[in-house]
Amino acid sequence: MLSEAKNQLLTQVGPGTPMGELLRRYWHPIGAESEFDEISVRPARLFGEDLVLYKDLSGNYGLVDRQCPHRRADLAYGFVEKCGLRCNYHGWLYDEKGQCTEQPYEDIANPQVRLKDRIKIKSYPVQAKAGMLWAYMGPLPAPLVPTWEPFTWANGFRQVVISEVPCNWFQCQENSIDPVHFEWMHSNWSVRLRGDTGPYAPTHTKLGFEEFEYGLIYKRVREDTDEKHPLWAVGRLALWPNVFCLGDHFEWRVPIDDENTLSITWAFNRVPREREPYVQATIPAWYGPVKDEATGQWISSHVMNQDFVAWVGQGRIADRTQENLGASDRGIAMLRRHFFDELDAVAQGRDPKGLVRDEATNECIDLPVAARRLFVDGLTREELKAHPIIGKHLKEYAFQYGQPEAVKRAFHDAMGVQIDEHGNVVNAPLGSAQHG
Ligand code: FES
Ligand SMILES: [Fe+2]
């Protein structure tokens, strides 16, 4: 249980709030590179700030204020030029640093005044990495966009999945350090959603939580595993400050504002050995719906959709004055303690934990990954199909509802499989598969 004041400290992310200032010291993924194959500009609300994200005709990305400082037109309807974004109302042009570089009529009528030199809009740096676009909204100098080890893995089909979840970011991140929910929310609830009443999943018998340089690790023993099992020996990760990581799968919970969160997933599927060397030309990105519009119910068919049901069910901002924590919540308590310590550190002018500023370190940041060999060395297609966990992922995207057919086709093509008329995964002729 937390006081109202402490709950506000964890959950308020707008400009000038302590948590807003802390989180702004990290790079956050805010979209995907491949979105900009189709569009050149779109709105982006982040940390309570209304912005637009664009890619100009030279390929530079920019993240700038949404309102034009001339007479406040919406720059989401602007158009991109060789260098920057032009307002569609009177043509003022801004570069990615927010500097106004052209004011077409002023430049003719009053060229000597150079009003444009004094016009600068809010702007934040954007970088592309791992198929995602990352923004940094904190004080300069910015740290580096982390090169997490899985971003360097070869021979993978990667995809980015984006959703807007209508609740505060912190309850989403608390889910990243909550092992017991897998048993109930995913395994057992799925049994009930199928209409069965059992058997239920093996129950958790022991939990461990520890801190490492880049976050928290949680470990579990279930009645069907022991301490030699990777679920205990390696565990899973909640990275600072808002990431859940299973190695082949990262989830970020990026605040849109206090009451909405951008969920961004990066998922990696190692292609079978027969498909090597596989080079993916484009990392596809898609938006996953969270609500079934026909029924008005939250979608509950896939793992992350189930998580979303939990998060939004806790309320727009979970009221932590009303909760009762137990032994399963040791990780939750550690996470909160971490953030309270970090808020103090930032208030005293120190860097929060887990920032990467050293180029050599950032060549590749190793993480504890339970099944690394599976992703790095790969399996043959037959071994992959027979694998008890990742074999099931061959049929369809397991984590979230709504994968577009085109992405599914590209995935099956990469994996050298197809779905037959009975819905079974069968081999596709390898010779016809195209890298893409
Ligand atoms: S409002 Fe943007 S140029 Fe006039
Ligand atoms: Fe979950």
Side-chain angles (χ1 to χ4, degrees), residues 56-179:
D56 71 18
L57 298 176
S58 309
N60 301 314
Y61 292 102
L63 179 65
V64 298
D65 202 349
R66 182 151 178 187
Q67 307 305 133
C68 176
H70 177 215
R71 281 177 31 224
R72 313 292 294 158
D74 183 354
L75 287 172
Y77 291 90
F79 46 91
V80 292
E81 299 282 12
K82 186 152 186 289
C83 184
L85 178 66
R86 191 185 293 281
C87 179
N88 67 345
Y89 202 7
H90 312 97
W92 290 18
L93 177 69
Y94 305 94
D95 69 14
E96 79 276 8
K97 296 219 157 58
Q99 182 62 49
C100 183
T101 56
E102 284 181 23
Q103 294 169 318
Y105 187 74
E106 307 308 314
D107 292 346
I108 288 171
N110 287 311
Q112 70 291 352
V113 175
R114 293 191 65 86
L115 172 64
K116 63 190 173 195
D117 292 352
R118 299 193 298 279
I119 302 289
K120 193 163 184 186
I121 57 174
K122 183 158 70 180
S123 72
Y124 297 111
V126 176
Q127 279 185 34
K129 181 169 279 189
M132 293 173 285
L133 297 173
W134 302 68
Y136 178 75
M137 297 169 67
L140 298 173
L144 302 168
V145 182
T147 307
W148 302 120
E149 173 201 339
F151 296 169
T152 70
W153 290 344
N155 291 306
F157 179 90
R158 291 143 302 163
Q159 60 193 302
V160 174
V161 187
I162 305 172
S163 290
E164 291 188 12
V165 187
C167 68
N168 182 261
W169 79 283
F170 198 77
Q171 60 217 54
C172 311
Q173 184 58 4
E174 286 180 328
N175 179 236
S176 307
I177 193 69
D178 183 351

Side-chain angles (χ1 to χ4, degrees), residues 175 178 181-182 185-186 244 251 303-304 306-307 311:
N175 179 236
D178 183 351
H181 92 277
F182 278 83
M185 167 140 267
H186 301 309
F244 179 49
E251 299 169 18
V303 176
M304 285 181 63
Q306 295 173 344
D307 289 322
W311 308 347

Side-chain angles (χ1 to χ4, degrees), residues 265-311:
T265 301
W266 180 92
F268 174 98
N269 288 85
R270 175 68 159 80
V271 301
R273 293 226 187 94
E274 294 90 332
R275 292 288 276 124
E276 295 175 20
Y278 177 81
V279 179
Q280 191 181 22
T282 302
I283 298 180
W286 49 280
Y287 278 77
V290 297
K291 201 172 238 185
D292 179 342
E293 289 306 333
T295 63
Q297 300 277 315
W298 304 111
I299 296 165
S300 59
S301 52
H302 290 59
V303 176
M304 285 181 63
N305 296 93
Q306 295 173 344
D307 289 322
F308 299 163
V309 172
W311 308 347

